Amino acid sequence: SSLDKQQTSQQIKPMVPSLLQTMELPSTFSGNGGIALSVLQLAVVATSYSTETNSETRAKYSKFSAINGATSTTATTKQQVTPTTAQTWPSRFAMMVIYTPALLVSTLILILPFVITDPSPNLPSPSLPTALCVIHFAKRCLEVLFLHSYSGRTDRSTPSIIGVYYALVTALIAYASGGNGDGISALLSEPNNQRITIGTTLFCVGLIGNWYHHYLLAKLRNTKQKTDNESKYVAPNGGLFEYVATPHYLFELIGWLGVAIVSNHLNVYLVFASMASYLGGRSVAQNEFNRGRFGEREWPRDRRNLIPFVF
Protein backbone atom coordinates (compact mmCIF):
# COMPACT_ATOMS: atom_id res chain seq x y z
CA SER A 1 0.00 0.00 0.00
CA SER A 2 1.01 3.65 -0.31
CA LEU A 3 1.25 3.91 3.49
CA ASP A 4 3.70 0.99 3.65
CA LYS A 5 5.82 2.55 0.90
CA GLN A 6 5.96 5.86 2.77
CA GLN A 7 7.02 4.12 5.99
CA THR A 8 9.71 2.13 4.15
CA SER A 9 10.98 5.31 2.49
CA GLN A 10 11.14 7.07 5.83
CA GLN A 11 13.18 4.17 7.26
CA ILE A 12 15.65 4.09 4.37
CA LYS A 13 16.31 7.83 4.11
CA PRO A 14 18.01 8.18 7.54
CA MET A 15 20.18 5.15 6.74
CA VAL A 16 21.78 6.70 3.65
CA PRO A 17 23.50 9.66 5.33
CA SER A 18 24.37 7.39 8.27
CA LEU A 19 26.22 4.97 5.97
CA LEU A 20 27.91 7.83 4.14
CA GLN A 21 29.07 9.31 7.44
CA THR A 22 30.71 6.02 8.46
CA MET A 23 32.61 5.72 5.17
CA GLU A 24 36.17 6.97 5.28
CA LEU A 25 38.41 7.75 2.35
CA PRO A 26 41.46 5.47 2.27
CA SER A 27 44.56 6.97 3.81
CA THR A 28 47.94 6.89 2.08
CA PHE A 29 51.63 7.22 2.86
CA SER A 30 52.59 10.87 2.98
CA GLY A 31 55.42 12.84 1.42
CA ASN A 32 57.53 12.20 -1.63
CA GLY A 33 58.24 8.66 -0.45
CA GLY A 34 54.53 7.88 -0.40
CA ILE A 35 54.07 9.33 -3.88
CA ALA A 36 57.03 7.33 -5.22
CA LEU A 37 55.68 4.12 -3.67
CA SER A 38 52.23 4.68 -5.16
CA VAL A 39 53.72 5.36 -8.60
CA LEU A 40 55.78 2.17 -8.35
CA GLN A 41 52.72 0.17 -7.37
CA LEU A 42 50.74 1.64 -10.25
CA ALA A 43 53.52 0.57 -12.61
CA VAL A 44 53.29 -2.98 -11.25
CA VAL A 45 49.50 -2.92 -11.74
CA ALA A 46 49.91 -1.68 -15.31
CA THR A 47 52.51 -4.26 -16.38
CA SER A 48 51.79 -7.49 -14.46
CA TYR A 49 48.88 -8.62 -16.63
CA SER A 50 50.75 -8.32 -19.93
CA THR A 51 53.87 -9.85 -18.38
CA GLU A 52 51.99 -12.98 -17.34
CA THR A 53 50.04 -13.40 -20.59
CA ASN A 54 53.32 -13.37 -22.54
CA SER A 55 54.96 -16.81 -22.58
CA GLU A 56 58.39 -15.18 -22.85
CA THR A 57 58.09 -13.02 -19.74
CA ARG A 58 55.73 -14.82 -17.34
CA ALA A 59 57.06 -16.14 -14.04
CA LYS A 60 58.68 -19.52 -14.66
CA TYR A 61 57.46 -21.71 -11.82
CA SER A 62 54.97 -24.54 -11.34
CA LYS A 63 53.90 -25.98 -14.72
CA PHE A 64 55.40 -22.95 -16.49
CA SER A 65 58.89 -23.76 -15.26
CA ALA A 66 61.27 -24.39 -18.17
CA ILE A 67 62.69 -27.50 -16.55
CA ASN A 68 59.15 -28.90 -16.23
CA GLY A 69 58.58 -28.66 -19.95
CA ALA A 70 57.68 -25.03 -20.58
CA THR A 71 59.51 -23.50 -23.48
CA SER A 72 61.49 -20.28 -23.28
CA THR A 73 62.41 -18.88 -26.65
CA THR A 74 63.96 -15.86 -28.26
CA ALA A 75 62.74 -14.10 -31.38
CA THR A 76 65.81 -15.08 -33.36
CA THR A 77 66.83 -18.58 -32.24
CA LYS A 78 63.49 -20.05 -31.08
CA GLN A 79 65.48 -22.53 -29.02
CA GLN A 80 64.34 -24.12 -25.82
CA VAL A 81 66.23 -22.98 -22.72
CA THR A 82 66.25 -25.50 -19.88
CA PRO A 83 68.03 -24.79 -16.59
CA THR A 84 70.36 -27.45 -15.27
CA THR A 85 69.54 -29.35 -12.10
CA ALA A 86 72.27 -27.47 -10.25
CA GLN A 87 70.45 -24.20 -11.01
CA THR A 88 67.11 -25.39 -9.68
CA TRP A 89 65.28 -26.42 -6.52
CA PRO A 90 62.68 -29.14 -5.99
CA SER A 91 59.28 -27.54 -6.53
CA ARG A 92 58.10 -28.03 -2.95
CA PHE A 93 61.17 -26.27 -1.58
CA ALA A 94 60.79 -23.50 -4.18
CA MET A 95 57.18 -22.89 -3.11
CA MET A 96 58.29 -22.64 0.53
CA VAL A 97 60.86 -20.03 -0.56
CA ILE A 98 57.96 -18.06 -2.05
CA TYR A 99 55.73 -18.06 1.04
CA THR A 100 57.97 -18.45 4.10
CA PRO A 101 59.62 -14.97 4.12
CA ALA A 102 56.22 -13.23 4.15
CA LEU A 103 55.04 -15.53 6.95
CA LEU A 104 58.14 -14.73 9.03
CA VAL A 105 57.88 -10.98 8.42
CA SER A 106 54.18 -10.77 9.31
CA THR A 107 54.59 -13.01 12.36
CA LEU A 108 57.54 -11.01 13.69
CA ILE A 109 55.73 -7.70 13.22
CA LEU A 110 52.70 -9.13 14.98
CA ILE A 111 54.46 -10.57 18.04
CA LEU A 112 57.55 -8.41 18.58
CA PRO A 113 55.71 -5.61 20.43
CA PHE A 114 54.51 -8.21 22.93
CA VAL A 115 57.94 -9.75 23.60
CA ILE A 116 60.08 -6.59 23.57
CA THR A 117 59.74 -4.40 26.65
CA ASP A 118 60.63 -1.19 24.84
CA PRO A 119 59.84 -1.68 21.12
CA SER A 120 61.14 0.81 18.60
CA PRO A 121 58.70 3.58 17.66
CA ASN A 122 59.47 2.73 14.04
CA LEU A 123 57.92 -0.71 14.50
CA PRO A 124 54.24 -0.78 13.46
CA SER A 125 51.65 -1.76 16.02
CA PRO A 126 50.06 -5.21 15.68
CA SER A 127 47.07 -4.84 13.39
CA LEU A 128 44.25 -6.98 12.09
CA PRO A 129 45.49 -6.84 8.46
CA THR A 130 48.90 -8.07 9.66
CA ALA A 131 47.18 -10.95 11.47
CA LEU A 132 45.28 -11.77 8.27
CA CYS A 133 48.62 -11.89 6.42
CA VAL A 134 49.92 -14.36 9.01
CA ILE A 135 46.87 -16.56 8.48
CA HIS A 136 47.11 -16.34 4.68
CA PHE A 137 50.78 -17.24 4.39
CA ALA A 138 50.61 -19.87 7.17
CA LYS A 139 47.83 -21.55 5.19
CA ARG A 140 49.91 -21.45 2.01
CA CYS A 141 52.93 -22.99 3.76
CA LEU A 142 50.78 -25.74 5.28
CA GLU A 143 49.29 -26.50 1.87
CA VAL A 144 52.76 -26.77 0.35
CA LEU A 145 53.87 -29.14 3.11
CA PHE A 146 50.80 -31.33 3.51
CA LEU A 147 48.28 -30.85 0.68
CA HIS A 148 49.98 -30.44 -2.68
CA SER A 149 52.05 -33.05 -4.47
CA TYR A 150 55.13 -31.96 -6.40
CA SER A 151 57.34 -33.77 -8.86
CA GLY A 152 59.20 -31.15 -10.90
CA ARG A 153 61.89 -28.57 -10.28
CA THR A 154 61.99 -24.77 -10.51
CA ASP A 155 64.78 -22.34 -11.23
CA ARG A 156 66.07 -20.58 -8.13
CA SER A 157 65.70 -16.97 -9.20
CA THR A 158 61.92 -16.89 -9.75
CA PRO A 159 60.80 -18.11 -6.29
CA SER A 160 63.48 -15.98 -4.63
CA ILE A 161 62.20 -12.82 -6.33
CA ILE A 162 58.57 -13.64 -5.57
CA GLY A 163 59.45 -14.46 -1.95
CA VAL A 164 61.13 -11.07 -1.47
CA TYR A 165 58.18 -9.35 -3.15
CA TYR A 166 55.64 -11.02 -0.87
CA ALA A 167 57.73 -10.15 2.19
CA LEU A 168 57.89 -6.49 1.14
CA VAL A 169 54.13 -6.46 0.45
CA THR A 170 53.50 -7.87 3.91
CA ALA A 171 55.68 -5.20 5.50
CA LEU A 172 53.84 -2.53 3.49
CA ILE A 173 50.48 -3.80 4.75
CA ALA A 174 51.78 -3.88 8.32
CA TYR A 175 53.06 -0.29 8.21
CA ALA A 176 49.97 0.94 6.38
CA SER A 177 47.69 -0.66 8.97
CA GLY A 178 49.67 -0.31 12.18
CA GLY A 179 51.96 2.63 11.55
CA ASN A 180 49.59 5.06 13.25
CA GLY A 181 49.68 3.20 16.54
CA ASP A 182 46.15 1.83 16.27
CA GLY A 183 46.39 -1.84 17.11
CA ILE A 184 43.93 -4.70 16.80
CA SER A 185 42.00 -3.74 19.93
CA ALA A 186 41.51 -0.19 18.66
CA LEU A 187 40.18 -1.46 15.35
CA LEU A 188 37.74 -3.87 16.92
CA SER A 189 36.49 -1.30 19.43
CA GLU A 190 35.41 1.17 16.75
CA PRO A 191 31.72 2.00 17.19
CA ASN A 192 31.02 1.66 13.45
CA ASN A 193 33.06 -1.30 12.31
CA GLN A 194 30.96 -2.47 9.36
CA ARG A 195 34.10 -2.13 7.25
CA ILE A 196 35.95 -4.54 9.55
CA THR A 197 33.08 -7.03 9.40
CA ILE A 198 32.81 -6.86 5.60
CA GLY A 199 36.56 -7.12 5.04
CA THR A 200 37.05 -9.99 7.49
CA THR A 201 34.09 -11.87 6.00
CA LEU A 202 35.53 -11.50 2.48
CA PHE A 203 38.90 -12.69 3.74
CA CYS A 204 37.35 -15.82 5.29
CA VAL A 205 35.33 -16.56 2.13
CA GLY A 206 38.48 -16.18 0.05
CA LEU A 207 40.51 -18.36 2.41
CA ILE A 208 37.99 -21.21 2.43
CA GLY A 209 37.26 -21.03 -1.30
CA ASN A 210 40.94 -20.97 -2.16
CA TRP A 211 41.65 -23.97 0.07
CA TYR A 212 38.72 -25.95 -1.34
CA HIS A 213 39.83 -25.54 -4.94
CA HIS A 214 43.42 -26.32 -3.99
CA TYR A 215 42.03 -29.50 -2.41
CA LEU A 216 40.27 -30.38 -5.68
CA LEU A 217 43.53 -29.86 -7.58
CA ALA A 218 45.44 -31.98 -5.07
CA LYS A 219 42.92 -34.83 -5.48
CA LEU A 220 43.41 -34.72 -9.24
CA ARG A 221 47.17 -34.80 -8.91
CA ASN A 222 47.06 -37.73 -6.50
CA THR A 223 44.78 -39.76 -8.81
CA LYS A 224 45.99 -38.67 -12.26
CA GLN A 225 46.59 -41.37 -14.81
CA LYS A 226 49.97 -42.81 -15.62
CA THR A 227 50.87 -43.66 -19.21
CA ASP A 228 54.23 -45.22 -20.12
CA ASN A 229 55.67 -44.10 -16.76
CA GLU A 230 54.77 -40.49 -17.56
CA SER A 231 52.17 -38.41 -15.77
CA LYS A 232 49.06 -37.46 -17.71
CA TYR A 233 47.28 -34.25 -16.80
CA VAL A 234 43.60 -34.53 -15.90
CA ALA A 235 41.22 -31.64 -16.55
CA PRO A 236 40.19 -29.98 -13.26
CA ASN A 237 36.54 -30.38 -12.36
CA GLY A 238 34.18 -29.67 -9.51
CA GLY A 239 33.44 -26.40 -7.75
CA LEU A 240 33.92 -23.34 -9.92
CA PHE A 241 36.28 -25.27 -12.20
CA GLU A 242 33.13 -25.95 -14.21
CA TYR A 243 33.06 -22.24 -15.09
CA VAL A 244 36.61 -20.88 -14.95
CA ALA A 245 40.18 -22.09 -15.26
CA THR A 246 41.44 -20.63 -11.98
CA PRO A 247 38.79 -20.37 -9.25
CA HIS A 248 41.57 -20.64 -6.66
CA TYR A 249 42.94 -17.35 -8.00
CA LEU A 250 39.48 -15.78 -7.80
CA PHE A 251 39.11 -16.67 -4.14
CA GLU A 252 42.65 -15.55 -3.38
CA LEU A 253 41.75 -12.14 -4.81
CA ILE A 254 38.59 -12.05 -2.70
CA GLY A 255 40.82 -12.61 0.33
CA TRP A 256 43.21 -9.81 -0.65
CA LEU A 257 40.26 -7.48 -1.21
CA GLY A 258 39.15 -8.27 2.33
CA VAL A 259 42.58 -7.33 3.66
CA ALA A 260 42.44 -4.03 1.75
CA ILE A 261 38.98 -3.20 3.06
CA VAL A 262 40.02 -3.88 6.66
CA SER A 263 43.14 -1.78 6.21
CA ASN A 264 41.32 1.03 4.34
CA HIS A 265 44.63 2.28 2.98
CA LEU A 266 45.22 3.33 -0.63
CA ASN A 267 48.52 1.49 -0.92
CA VAL A 268 46.93 -1.74 0.32
CA TYR A 269 44.20 -1.34 -2.29
CA LEU A 270 47.04 -1.04 -4.81
CA VAL A 271 48.42 -4.31 -3.44
CA PHE A 272 45.07 -5.89 -4.26
CA ALA A 273 45.09 -4.27 -7.72
CA SER A 274 48.58 -5.60 -8.44
CA MET A 275 47.53 -9.09 -7.32
CA ALA A 276 44.47 -8.84 -9.59
CA SER A 277 46.66 -7.81 -12.54
CA TYR A 278 49.18 -10.60 -11.89
CA LEU A 279 46.67 -13.39 -11.25
CA GLY A 280 44.45 -12.16 -14.08
CA GLY A 281 47.32 -12.62 -16.53
CA ARG A 282 48.25 -15.91 -14.91
CA SER A 283 44.67 -17.14 -15.34
CA VAL A 284 44.84 -16.40 -19.09
CA ALA A 285 48.06 -18.44 -19.31
CA GLN A 286 46.48 -21.31 -17.36
CA ASN A 287 43.40 -21.36 -19.60
CA GLU A 288 45.60 -21.38 -22.70
CA PHE A 289 47.54 -24.29 -21.22
CA ASN A 290 44.33 -26.22 -20.55
CA ARG A 291 42.94 -25.55 -24.03
CA GLY A 292 46.14 -26.88 -25.56
CA ARG A 293 46.25 -29.89 -23.27
CA PHE A 294 42.60 -31.05 -23.30
CA GLY A 295 39.96 -31.61 -25.95
CA GLU A 296 36.70 -29.70 -26.27
CA ARG A 297 34.82 -32.35 -24.30
CA GLU A 298 37.21 -32.17 -21.35
CA TRP A 299 37.77 -28.43 -21.49
CA PRO A 300 35.15 -26.34 -23.37
CA ARG A 301 36.73 -23.53 -25.37
CA ASP A 302 34.28 -20.96 -23.98
CA ARG A 303 35.31 -21.60 -20.36
CA ARG A 304 36.33 -18.33 -18.73
CA ASN A 305 39.70 -17.51 -17.19
CA LEU A 306 38.94 -16.12 -13.73
CA ILE A 307 35.42 -14.72 -13.21
CA PRO A 308 32.44 -16.93 -14.16
CA PHE A 309 30.56 -15.69 -17.26
CA VAL A 310 32.63 -12.48 -17.37
CA PHE A 311 36.41 -12.97 -17.77
Side-chain angles (χ1 to χ4, degrees):
S1 67
S2 59
L3 181 60
D4 292 335
K5 291 180 179 179
Q6 290 177 358
Q7 291 176 342
T8 302
S9 177
Q10 291 174 354
Q11 292 173 350
I12 293 175
K13 285 181 179 179
M15 292 173 58
V16 176
S18 176
L19 288 173
L20 291 176
Q21 289 173 1
T22 60
M23 293 175 62
E24 300 177 5
L25 291 175
S27 55
T28 184
F29 291 116
S30 60
N32 293 332
I35 295 174
L37 177 60
S38 298
V39 170
L40 177 61
Q41 287 183 279
L42 286 171
V44 173
V45 173
T47 58
S48 293
Y49 180 86
S50 59
T51 298
E52 287 303 311
T53 55
N54 187 334
S55 61
E56 301 295 326
T57 57
R58 71 173 57 116
K60 298 296 191 292
Y61 69 95
S62 186
K63 63 174 57 64
F64 299 115
S65 173
I67 202 168
N68 293 333
T71 303
S72 176
T73 62
T74 64
T76 55
T77 62
K78 298 292 182 182
Q79 295 177 345
Q80 183 171 342
V81 179
T82 304
T84 65
T85 301
Q87 298 171 320
T88 63
W89 284 320
S91 291
R92 190 186 305 276
F93 182 82
M95 297 306 290
M96 289 299 293
V97 170
I98 288 176
Y99 298 123
T100 303
L103 175 61
L104 293 176
V105 169
S106 55
T107 301
L108 286 173
I109 292 175
L110 193 66
I111 67 173
L112 275 180
F114 298 104
V115 299
I116 299 178
T117 55
D118 188 19
S120 169
N122 296 322
L123 190 68
S125 300
S127 66
L128 183 56
T130 304
L132 298 181
C133 286
V134 172
I135 295 171
H136 171 79
F137 287 108
K139 166 189 165 293
R140 299 310 298 267
C141 287
L142 290 172
E143 286 177 340
V144 170
L145 292 173
F146 302 110
L147 179 62
H148 298 304
S149 299
Y150 298 94
S151 57
R153 301 182 68 87
T154 301
D155 72 279
R156 298 182 179 186
S157 61
T158 299
S160 299
I161 293 170
I162 298 175
V164 171
Y165 174 76
Y166 279 159
L168 292 174
V169 162
T170 301
L172 183 154
I173 293 173
Y175 276 93
S177 308
N180 57 2
D182 295 332
I184 295 177
S185 59
L187 270 177
L188 298 180
S189 63
E190 290 182 0
N192 299 307
N193 61 356
Q194 295 97 329
R195 173 173 56 82
I196 308 302
T197 302
I198 293 171
T200 305
T201 300
L202 285 175
F203 176 81
C204 293
V205 170
L207 193 80
I208 295 170
N210 179 263
W211 173 85
Y212 174 67
H213 288 91
H214 279 169
Y215 167 74
L216 293 179
L217 288 174
K219 281 180 59 179
L220 284 177
R221 188 167 180 90
N222 289 332
T223 60
K224 66 183 179 180
Q225 302 172 15
K226 300 279 186 177
T227 304
D228 297 330
N229 296 323
E230 292 185 1
S231 298
K232 179 183 178 182
Y233 281 97
V234 179
N237 59 79
L240 291 186
F241 280 115
E242 305 299 328
Y243 303 95
V244 294
T246 55
H248 46 311
Y249 291 172
L250 172 62
F251 282 102
E252 180 168 351
L253 290 176
I254 291 173
W256 283 114
L257 178 59
V259 173
I261 291 174
V262 172
S263 177
N264 197 38
H265 195 282
L266 175 63
N267 295 95
V268 183
Y269 278 108
L270 288 176
V271 168
F272 163 72
S274 65
M275 295 289 184
S277 179
Y278 169 72
L279 292 178
R282 199 84 177 166
S283 72
V284 173
Q286 180 64 62
N287 209 3
E288 289 177 351
F289 176 90
N290 290 352
R291 287 169 180 164
R293 178 75 60 169
F294 309 118
E296 171 71 23
R297 185 175 180 179
E298 292 179 291
W299 197 262
R301 295 303 179 259
D302 60 351
R303 187 163 293 175
R304 302 302 186 183
N305 301 315
L306 182 68
I307 305 174
F309 313 111
V310 178
F311 167 71

